[in-house]
Amino acid sequence: MIRLTRLNGEEFVINCVQIERIESIPESNVILVNGKHYVVQESVEEIISRTVDFNARILASAQRLKD
């Protein structure tokens, strides 16, 4: 899950595993696999970075449980 910000400043959390694609229009339009979309303030690069960080935390947690 990653935290994003709508254009009106409202923060929300989205399941980044469900992201199909992100378009820059110039705002970022996040399209999910179910067809829903969210226009957000964060850049495409920031969304990717947050997604990578989220996945790294998941992998680190799994590794700790394994050890």
Side-chain angles (χ1 to χ4, degrees):
M1 306 289 276
I2 60 172
R3 186 176 307 277
L4 297 175
T5 311
R6 296 179 193 271
L7 295 182
N8 67 3
E10 177 186 338
E11 288 189 354
F12 68 104
V13 177
I14 192 169
N15 183 350
C16 58
V17 175
Q18 297 296 312
I19 296 174
E20 179 181 320
R21 67 184 187 276
I22 307 167
E23 301 171 345
S24 182
I25 56 173
E27 302 86 3
S28 297
N29 187 23
V30 180
I31 299 105
L32 305 182
V33 294
N34 66 4
K36 287 187 176 185
H37 66 94
Y38 301 91
V39 180
V40 298
Q41 295 179 6
E42 290 77 11
S43 68
V44 171
E45 292 77 18
E46 180 62 28
I47 297 167
I48 291 169
S49 176
R50 291 180 188 187
T51 300
V52 168
D53 290 346
F54 171 78
N55 287 323
R57 288 193 314 268
I58 297 298
L59 290 173
S61 291
Q63 186 63 40
R64 282 192 302 273
L65 289 174
K66 181 181 166 190
D67 292 341

